[in-house]
Amino acid sequence: MKYEEDKFLKELEKHIKNTYSEHYSGSIQPAEFIMSNADTLDYLRGNVIKYAFRYGRKNGYDNKDLFKAIHFMMMMAKYSKDMPVIEDVSVEQNKPKSVWQIEIYVL
């Protein structure tokens, strides 16, 4: 493949498998717990932004940050099937309503 997508996808798959086997094994993932009571995708969206922004800044150009961002995007695709469509995305309507949301927007 032109941009080594096949290699990247294999590394991404390995990263995701390791996430489930190494992190929080035997218990619910924090993202699953949060999304089980969520009515928006803001938590997942915030993590996509966080890891995409961090790429090249915190640990250099470490693909793990990209893998994490993509994994959260994949979760967004899964959870969005149960979410209402947002018709108006005005700034006023989508201001953070809590400290938790402010942290997500800042990250």
Side-chain angles (χ1 to χ4, degrees):
M1 297 184 127
K2 185 174 181 178
Y3 298 105
E4 298 182 350
E5 297 93 339
D6 51 341
K7 179 182 171 190
F8 185 86
L9 290 171
K10 285 178 186 175
E11 290 176 25
L12 174 62
E13 182 179 21
K14 181 180 176 183
H15 169 81
I16 292 172
K17 285 180 180 179
N18 286 341
T19 296
Y20 292 121
S21 64
E22 293 176 5
H23 301 275
Y24 315 106
S25 59
S27 64
I28 188 169
Q29 294 276 334
E32 291 174 298
F33 176 77
I34 291 166
M35 293 307 297
S36 69
N37 294 301
D39 58 357
T40 71
L41 297 171
D42 289 348
Y43 169 75
L44 300 174
R45 186 177 287 115
N47 278 292
V48 169
I49 293 166
K50 174 178 79 173
Y51 288 113
F53 186 81
R54 187 167 102 162
Y55 180 69
R57 289 184 168 88
K58 184 175 180 184
N59 297 318
Y61 292 101
D62 184 353
N63 279 349
K64 287 182 182 179
D65 289 329
L66 293 180
F67 297 154
K68 290 175 183 180
I70 292 167
H71 193 197
F72 277 104
M73 286 183 207
M74 295 169 106
M75 287 187 268
M76 284 178 71
K78 186 242 184 241
Y79 284 107
S80 66
K81 295 173 186 172
D82 301 324
M83 295 287 165
V85 175
I86 300 171
E87 298 295 332
D88 182 7
V89 291
S90 68
V91 173
E92 191 63 33
Q93 181 182 2
N94 291 306
K95 279 187 180 176
K97 296 172 184 68
S98 70
V99 174
W100 174 248
Q101 283 183 305
I102 291 169
E103 287 180 31
I104 291 172
Y105 280 82
V106 171
L107 296 176

